[in-house]
Amino acid sequence: MRAVSSRDLVDLLHVIEWDVRKLSRQTLFVAMRTTWFILQVIVLGTSISLLVRSFPGLNYYDFYLLGVFTALVYSVSIARGYEIADEFDEGIVEYHLALPVKRSTLALGRVLGGSVASFLFTLPMYAFIMFMIRPDNVFYVLVSLVAIYLFSAGVVGLVITVVLSVKSTDATDILMGVIDALLVRLSTVFYPAPVIAKVLPYYYASLANPISSVSDFLRVLFLPEYVVYASLPPQGQVAYIVGLAVGFSYLAIYVISHKLEAGGWR
């Protein structure tokens, strides 16, 4: 197996920096998104928690907070698809392909850079969620951050795979919109598994949904009583999160390394 050279590492860091530096130019947008998120979970979350009948030993408001945050991480990571499509239209991706950088390094850098940028984008919202829930175990906070990053990496890998395979702005908009609508709604983001189990197709779709696994895993960490309502056992949730990150990251790297050619967008 060929060793990784220092040049490869430098190139990898530069590719990652490309995505992270774009985030630094979105400070105002991040602040606005954070403000809207806080208002949403305070106003809408409180209203919904008053309307929803509580489950024995389960605080629905905290359940909602962790679910809506997971949906936020997903939507922010999905937004990478639209940015990459714009880069294709502007010729930026073709420029990257022409650089003296290994395809594998470029591919890995785009996956890591996109997931790091998405992760950093959501950190202010995560801090607010932790302030509201007030966890008493710092280790669980660290574990949750790792899970959130892996989830983001998996979604970014999915997005890159779809965008660079479809190679069409319009088709990307339609396909990502459908995926976004289905995954968020067919999950346990807003309703515990026992509730949606009353509709079996809905229930089985939620079991296969990565958003359900991540949101339920966060709930098991910070709401131990939720373990009896979770759609999968914690071990299954962890396996799903890791599998999502590894699987779609590999697919994204494969598409960029072996299938993508400069000038192939149109």
Side-chain angles (χ1 to χ4, degrees), residues 54-118:
S54 299
F55 294 87
L58 176 64
N59 183 328
Y60 181 79
Y61 183 66
D62 290 345
F63 170 93
Y64 170 85
L65 290 179
L66 293 169
V68 76
F69 174 74
T70 303
L72 171 73
V73 175
Y74 171 77
S75 64
V76 169
S77 301
I78 278 289
R80 304 301 306 169
Y82 298 102
E83 292 187 17
I84 294 172
D86 289 340
E87 289 179 5
F88 248 120
D89 283 336
E90 297 167 0
I92 295 175
V93 171
E94 294 172 354
Y95 167 72
H96 285 168
L97 293 173
L99 293 174
V101 178
K102 292 180 181 178
R103 284 292 184 91
S104 57
T105 301
L106 175 63
L108 181 59
R110 292 312 304 266
V111 173
L112 295 178
S115 54
V116 168
S118 301

Side-chain angles (χ1 to χ4, degrees), residues 12-237:
L12 179 63
L13 291 176
H14 284 161
V15 176
I16 295 173
E17 183 185 11
W18 166 263
D19 285 293
V20 175
R21 283 178 66 87
K22 288 190 296 183
L23 180 63
S24 66
R25 298 192 293 267
Q26 299 175 337
T27 305
L28 180 59
F29 180 67
V30 174
M32 293 174 60
R33 187 69 182 268
T34 302
T35 301
W36 168 243
F37 178 79
I38 292 174
L39 290 175
Q40 176 188 359
V41 298
I42 290 178
V43 178
L44 183 60
T46 302
S47 301
I48 293 177
S49 65
L50 293 175
L51 296 174
V52 176
R53 184 172 58 184
S54 299
F55 294 87
L58 176 64
N59 183 328
Y60 181 79
Y61 183 66
D62 290 345
F63 170 93
Y64 170 85
L65 290 179
L66 293 169
V68 76
F69 174 74
T70 303
L72 171 73
V73 175
Y74 171 77
S75 64
V76 169
S77 301
I78 278 289
R80 304 301 306 169
Y82 298 102
E83 292 187 17
I84 294 172
D86 289 340
E87 289 179 5
F88 248 120
D89 283 336
E90 297 167 0
I92 295 175
V93 171
E94 294 172 354
Y95 167 72
H96 285 168
L97 293 173
L99 293 174
V101 178
K102 292 180 181 178
R103 284 292 184 91
S104 57
T105 301
L106 175 63
L108 181 59
R110 292 312 304 266
V111 173
L112 295 178
S115 54
V116 168
S118 301
F119 177 76
L120 294 176
F121 187 104
T122 59
L123 276 185
M125 286 74 100
Y126 176 85
F128 177 76
I129 293 297
M130 292 298 101
F131 172 77
M132 297 296 291
I133 295 179
R134 300 183 185 280
D136 54 6
N137 192 320
V138 177
F139 176 72
Y140 287 168
V141 173
L142 297 177
V143 171
S144 69
L145 289 172
V146 173
I148 292 166
Y149 175 76
L150 290 175
F151 175 58
S152 179
V155 175
V156 170
L158 165 65
V159 173
I160 292 177
T161 301
V162 170
V163 172
L164 300 187
S165 298
V166 174
K167 299 181 182 178
S168 168
T169 304
D170 293 337
T172 296
D173 288 342
I174 295 171
L175 186 56
M176 298 310 299
V178 171
I179 293 175
D180 186 38
L182 289 177
L183 287 183
V184 172
R185 286 158 181 79
L186 298 178
S187 69
T188 57
V189 165
F190 300 113
Y191 307 104
V195 174
I196 61 179
K198 298 175 182 177
V199 183
L200 288 181
Y202 188 175
Y203 175 70
Y204 289 124
S206 71
L207 290 180
N209 193 331
I211 298 180
S212 295
S213 293
V214 178
S215 57
D216 280 0
F217 181 68
L218 295 180
R219 288 162 180 153
V220 170
L221 286 178
F222 300 116
L223 308 174
E225 64 275 12
Y226 181 74
V227 70
V228 299
Y229 299 110
S231 54
L232 293 173
Q235 298 88 339
Q237 295 162 1

